[in-house]
Amino acid sequence: REDGVPGRDLAMYTWAKAAMCDLVNNYARWYELSYVIVYFYNVYGPRERSIVEHGTLIETFRQKYLKGEPLTVRSPGTQRRAFTHVEDTVNGILFASEQGEGDGYGISSTDDLSLLEVAELFGGEIEMLPQTKTTRERSVIDSEKITALGWRQAKTLKEYIEEIKRSAPST
């Protein structure tokens, strides 16, 4: 079904997320339930997964940076993402649950960066990997609905990476 959501059927993961939103929307309609659906992607911050193969991009880059290993970027590297700090994400979820109603609350940083730009912020060697068929060119969330309620981003990825670099042990 075409619903205007880019990448909805790219992979099982994206399809399942979209199907769950459809289910919540339908339950609310069928049973007259109050609900809020929030969307967030590319969350980063303290206590991320530490397994490189399954971690987030930022945690993977952080670990590789600290070990002096090349940062791996999927080609073409121009894919853009809005990375949102975990504290901003949690605050957005709480904000929406207290003041919002319905679907469409995107919690997102106001900055979007290419994957190559993120790797360059860390510094060091960058290794380009082949593109995958599920690679999306852009994954930026519309946060207009939650910002209209008054939510604002407090932390930036650039500041987070600078803190990692400042606290890294000297080699």
Side-chain angles (χ1 to χ4, degrees):
R1 158 184 138 202
E2 181 55 49
D3 62 1
V5 178
R8 178 184 172 106
D9 294 326
L10 271 178
M12 182 173 55
Y13 174 73
T14 55
W15 176 86
K17 286 192 321 184
M20 292 302 104
C21 289
D22 289 346
L23 183 61
V24 170
N25 280 302
N26 283 328
Y27 258 81
R29 185 172 46 85
W30 296 330
Y31 299 106
E32 298 179 13
L33 299 173
S34 177
Y35 71 104
V36 172
I37 297 178
V38 296
Y39 300 89
F40 49 90
Y41 304 83
N42 305 304
V43 177
Y44 68 89
R47 303 170 90 179
E48 289 187 71
R49 281 185 154 170
S50 60
I51 302 169
V52 172
E53 304 86 51
H54 303 291
T56 66
L57 178 82
I58 303 305
E59 178 61 13
T60 300
F61 280 5
R62 185 185 76 82
Q63 287 187 30
K64 288 179 177 265
Y65 170 81
L66 293 174
K67 293 176 185 173
E69 297 175 1
L71 304 183
T72 53
V73 176
R74 291 272 172 203
S75 291
T78 56
Q79 308 89 301
R80 299 195 75 79
R81 304 289 182 265
F83 296 91
T84 309
H85 194 278
V86 65
E87 290 177 18
D88 288 334
T89 302
V90 170
N91 289 337
I93 292 167
L94 294 173
F95 204 90
S97 72
E98 293 166 357
Q99 298 185 38
E101 174 65 34
D103 196 354
Y105 292 91
I107 301 169
S108 180
S109 166
T110 55
D111 303 321
D112 72 310
L113 300 166
S114 75
L115 302 187
L116 201 49
E117 288 171 329
V118 174
E120 289 167 350
L121 284 173
F122 276 95
E125 184 182 347
I126 297 171
E127 178 184 335
M128 298 303 290
L129 299 176
Q131 182 174 348
T132 66
K133 67 180 181 177
T134 60
T135 298
R136 288 197 277 182
E137 185 57 34
R138 190 169 174 88
S139 178
V140 179
I141 300 170
D142 178 2
S143 59
E144 181 180 327
K145 210 169 170 181
I146 198 160
T147 56
L149 295 177
W151 175 86
R152 299 291 181 267
Q153 164 191 353
K155 300 183 179 279
T156 69
L157 180 60
K158 290 176 186 178
E159 293 166 342
Y160 183 74
I161 293 171
E162 286 304 315
E163 179 57 33
I164 290 168
K165 292 166 81 171
R166 277 192 302 276
S167 62
S170 300
T171 53

